Amino acid sequence: MQGSYSNEDIFFSPARELFEEIVEWLGSDRVCGLEHGELENKLLENGYELLRRLLHGYFDRRSDDEIEGECLGSDQARRTHKKKLTRKLTTLFGTVRVNRIGYGGRKLNSLSPLDAELNLPPSQYSHGLTERVAVEVARSGFGETVEIISQTTAAKVGKRQVEELAFNSACDFDQFYHQQQSHIEQSPQTGEIVVITVDGKGVVMRTEDLRAHTRKRALASSKKLNKRLTKGEKRNSKRMATVASVYTIDPFVRTPEQIVNPEGEEVDKKELKRPLPQSKRVWASLIKQPEVVISEAFDEVLHRRSTQQKHFCALVDGNKTQLSLLNKFARKHQINLTIVLDIIHVIEYLWKAAFAFYSDTSKQAEDWVSKRILLILQGHSSTVAAGMRRSATLRKLSPSQRKPVDNCARYLLNNAAYLKYDDYLRAGLPIATGVIEGACRHLIKDRMDITGARWSLQGAEAVLRLRSLYLSGDWHQYWQFHLKQEYQRNHHVLYLDGVPLMKRLLYARCSTTAPTTLPITV
């Protein structure tokens, strides 16, 4: 190596040596016959080691800067015994060693102020590696995450450790959103309509983590096949997750004819630009009861009410529990809430009724459904219900044959208060639960409906929280909040007044005025 370096450069000399070796290797004749892919792999391998040595050098420098002083814990006890301690930290670049002074005393827990300065975690895994694990767990299985971490970093993390890191990473989920909702923000990007939508989705669980009544049925049933679960067994192996979504959207005014055109006639050809959901948050929970999740949805709505929204809307599928809770919380918070029954669920009932009159391949069944969808969208759901019952009577259908007709008619009449689609369309309200259906698919089915998988309650809840943050676009903000909470839990509470007495001494030789970004030029 050429040139002279200061004393502090000694800490980074191993990194400099490796860098010079890499440059020399690239300039040698030995690499001339290598393909670019081989070069990439070699540089990546040495690049991780270079970064590990740089990080190791920085920790050594901070350790060398550490000045002995007085250390007072939150117990106000003076820790007079000083000892040099060493710990390992597994990072994205590999494992490094961190030396620091430990302050202790008789029957006193040891404190290391440098740990607080660096916000080191109590476990051996760095926050950077933990975040990478959490992100991968949100997208892939635990086993796949182990492989991904092994292939894309210089670290090795076992499957059990991956599960623990994921669980710990999700621990501040509720507190993060409570903190978010306590801050009133004005955003020009939110639509005029605030939408709440809730649904349920089953997750296959370990028997011990099923709800009590489901677990009882699962234990009482005998397994019929060795290779797979049969229909009844699947039902008794699932625990229902409550899925919720809150978003804003601009009004989308339409006519029933623009949605349904049963006769193929020409309708208004004006191109309709469908607005997109904005500020969408989705989440799900297996642990919390539906009432708690819906209460959280209203907390999110109240947070958004400050942005002067004009209309509040809830999209439902007709579930009586959901309807009762939505009305309950709307009254509690004095919100004028318009509840809309999902048109897709209505159409499903209509198709089942149509097959009572026509074969499932008949064009007449399709025309029958289309005409009645139009009538319902025009606000005549009760007329449709009465008409199909009368038709079933006139055709002298048997009780079993007319059952889907009666079910559809009953569904329309029982939910007539939520079928005022003519009013909803004029107000530009959404009438389909596409957002929550997508949330159920992306949050749960795509990630947790894995063949043969049986989830623990703790692991499944952690994955749902991480995935919710990721899909809601809140990951970066959450992780910054989580790191602050980690500091509070692991360090702040240990020291008198929450601040290590050594802090001023440590910063005396490590100026906080230095830039925090790397001097990279492009």
Side-chain angles (χ1 to χ4, degrees):
M1 292 174 36
Q2 298 179 351
S4 60
Y5 305 107
S6 63
N7 290 335
E8 289 189 347
D9 287 324
I10 297 174
F11 303 118
F12 301 103
S13 59
R16 292 181 185 275
E17 290 173 3
L18 179 58
F19 177 75
E20 295 295 340
E21 289 177 10
I22 294 173
V23 173
E24 181 182 355
W25 177 74
L26 286 171
S28 69
D29 295 336
R30 290 174 293 169
V31 301
C32 291
L34 297 180
E35 296 180 355
H36 83 279
E38 296 175 281
L39 284 170
E40 282 182 310
N41 291 333
K42 188 66 176 178
L43 285 174
L44 183 62
E45 177 184 341
N46 284 277
Y48 282 137
E49 176 59 19
L50 176 61
L51 293 173
R52 191 197 68 81
R53 292 188 187 187
L54 285 169
L55 185 60
H56 201 295
Y58 175 78
F59 287 147
D60 284 346
R61 174 176 174 260
R62 289 298 297 272
S63 177
D64 187 69
D65 280 342
E66 195 172 12
I67 304 172
E68 294 186 14
E70 191 177 57
C71 182
L72 287 175
S74 56
D75 53 8
Q76 301 188 33
R78 295 184 181 277
R79 287 161 170 76
T80 55
H81 182 71
K82 303 168 188 176
K83 183 180 180 181
K84 203 72 172 179
L85 301 176
T86 301
R87 62 162 293 178
K88 291 182 179 180
L89 185 68
T90 301
T91 74
L92 293 166
F93 320 129
T95 301
V96 296
R97 184 184 66 254
V98 184
N99 298 314
R100 68 266 196 261
I101 300 173
Y103 294 80
R106 184 176 177 80
K107 296 184 179 180
L108 295 175
N109 61 311
S110 180
L111 296 178
S112 300
L114 186 57
D115 283 3
E117 287 295 307
L118 297 170
N119 193 14
L120 295 182
S123 74
Q124 75 175 77
Y125 301 104
S126 71
H127 288 314
L129 180 58
T130 300
E131 182 183 14
R132 177 71 68 83
V133 167
V135 169
E136 294 303 334
V137 164
R139 298 185 295 196
S140 309
F142 294 126
E144 289 88 342
T145 297
V146 171
E147 293 298 321
I148 291 170
I149 294 299
S150 175
Q151 293 170 6
T152 61
T153 75
K156 303 292 183 184
V157 186
K159 185 177 178 180
R160 182 174 62 84
Q161 286 72 32
V162 163
E163 293 177 4
E164 291 175 355
L165 290 175
F167 176 75
N168 293 333
S169 296
C171 68
D172 295 312
F173 180 87
D174 289 331
Q175 193 172 353
F176 168 71
Y177 280 109
H178 290 157
Q179 178 260 352
Q180 290 281 90
Q181 292 161 5
S182 66
H183 293 79
I184 298 176
E185 299 178 357
Q186 297 289 339
S187 173
Q189 299 301 318
T190 56
E192 296 181 11
I193 302 169
V194 178
V195 182
I196 304 174
T197 179
V198 186
D199 204 349
K201 184 69 176 176
V203 178
V204 178
M205 307 294 293
R206 297 174 183 172
T207 304
E208 62 270 22
D209 287 324
L210 294 170
R211 298 191 191 277
H213 58 281
T214 311
R215 182 169 63 249
K216 184 178 180 180
R217 291 199 303 269
L219 292 173
S221 63
S222 57
K223 193 171 181 180
K224 300 178 179 65
L225 299 175
N226 294 324
K227 300 297 183 180
R228 59 172 293 165
L229 296 175
T230 58
K231 187 174 181 180
E233 292 171 327
K234 290 178 182 178
R235 183 168 56 251
N236 292 332
S237 67
K238 290 185 176 182
R239 182 176 177 128
M240 291 300 294
T242 303
V243 186
S245 178
V246 175
Y247 61 94
T248 64
I249 195 167
D250 290 322
F252 185 38
V253 179
R254 293 158 292 168
T255 65
E257 290 76 16
Q258 288 173 320
I259 298 175
V260 179
N261 183 20
E263 302 298 336
E265 299 156 345
E266 290 295 320
V267 295
D268 187 3
K269 291 292 187 179
K270 183 177 67 174
E271 183 179 352
L272 298 175
K273 186 177 182 181
R274 182 182 296 273
L276 298 175
Q278 303 163 5
S279 303
K280 181 173 66 176
R281 180 194 165 194
V282 297
W283 72 103
S285 178
L286 284 157
I287 293 177
K288 298 173 183 175
Q289 295 293 334
E291 182 171 3
V292 176
V293 176
I294 293 177
S295 176
E296 292 174 344
F298 274 86
D299 290 340
E300 187 72 23
V301 166
L302 292 173
H303 165 58
R304 299 178 187 221
R305 184 161 63 175
S306 62
T307 59
Q308 300 180 352
Q309 305 296 337
K310 296 180 181 179
H311 212 139
F312 296 92
C313 169
L315 280 163
V316 298
D317 61 5
N319 181 281
K320 292 181 180 180
T321 300
Q322 293 175 11
L323 288 169
S324 175
L325 292 171
L326 287 168
N327 283 308
K328 170 186 173 181
F329 285 111
R331 290 191 299 268
K332 176 182 176 180
H333 297 295
Q334 298 180 344
I335 290 177
N336 185 16
L337 183 69
T338 301
I339 299 179
V340 180
L341 191 68
D342 172 37
I343 189 64
I344 304 301
H345 282 76
V346 175
I347 292 173
E348 289 175 357
Y349 273 90
L350 285 173
W351 274 110
K352 291 177 182 178
F355 294 147
F357 300 119
Y358 308 100
S359 68
D360 55 6
T361 58
S362 171
K363 181 68 168 59
Q364 291 175 300
E366 185 178 41
D367 293 339
W368 187 92
V369 171
S370 296
K371 290 178 181 178
R372 279 146 190 82
I373 293 173
L374 181 60
L375 287 170
I376 290 172
L377 290 174
Q378 291 171 339
H380 306 305
S381 59
S382 297
T383 302
V384 171
M388 67 174 66
R389 277 182 169 171
R390 186 164 54 252
S391 180
T393 301
L394 292 173
R395 298 190 186 202
K396 298 181 180 181
L397 298 182
S398 67
S400 61
Q401 289 174 324
R402 66 175 293 157
K403 183 177 180 180
V405 177
D406 291 332
N407 288 343
C408 180
R410 190 181 308 111
Y411 184 77
L412 294 176
L413 294 172
N414 289 345
N415 293 290
Y418 313 117
L419 296 173
K420 301 175 182 178
Y421 294 112
D422 51 334
D423 294 335
Y424 305 151
L425 293 175
R426 279 194 296 269
L429 301 181
I431 61 171
T433 57
V435 169
I436 197 64
E437 296 292 338
C440 288
R441 184 176 70 254
H442 294 309
L443 265 179
I444 298 178
K445 185 174 177 61
D446 290 351
R447 172 64 180 87
M448 311 188 78
D449 194 7
I450 303 171
T451 302
R454 287 180 176 269
W455 291 85
S456 68
L457 184 58
Q458 185 184 68
E461 188 75 3
V463 169
L464 284 177
R465 290 182 172 190
L466 295 175
R467 198 160 174 82
S468 297
L469 288 162
Y470 192 76
L471 294 175
S472 298
D474 292 328
W475 179 262
H476 178 72
Q477 285 181 291
Y478 170 77
W479 195 254
Q480 297 307 310
F481 177 82
H482 173 68
L483 293 183
K484 291 178 181 177
Q485 296 303 110
E486 283 285 278
Y487 178 83
Q488 294 290 324
R489 281 189 292 267
N490 301 326
H491 305 294
H492 184 271
V493 298
L494 301 179
Y495 295 90
L496 186 64
D497 298 326
V499 180
L501 194 60
M502 293 290 296
K503 191 168 186 176
R504 289 188 296 274
L505 295 174
L506 287 167
Y507 272 107
R509 294 181 63 189
C510 186
S511 174
T512 58
T513 61
T516 57
T517 56
L518 289 174
I520 298 176
T521 57
V522 179

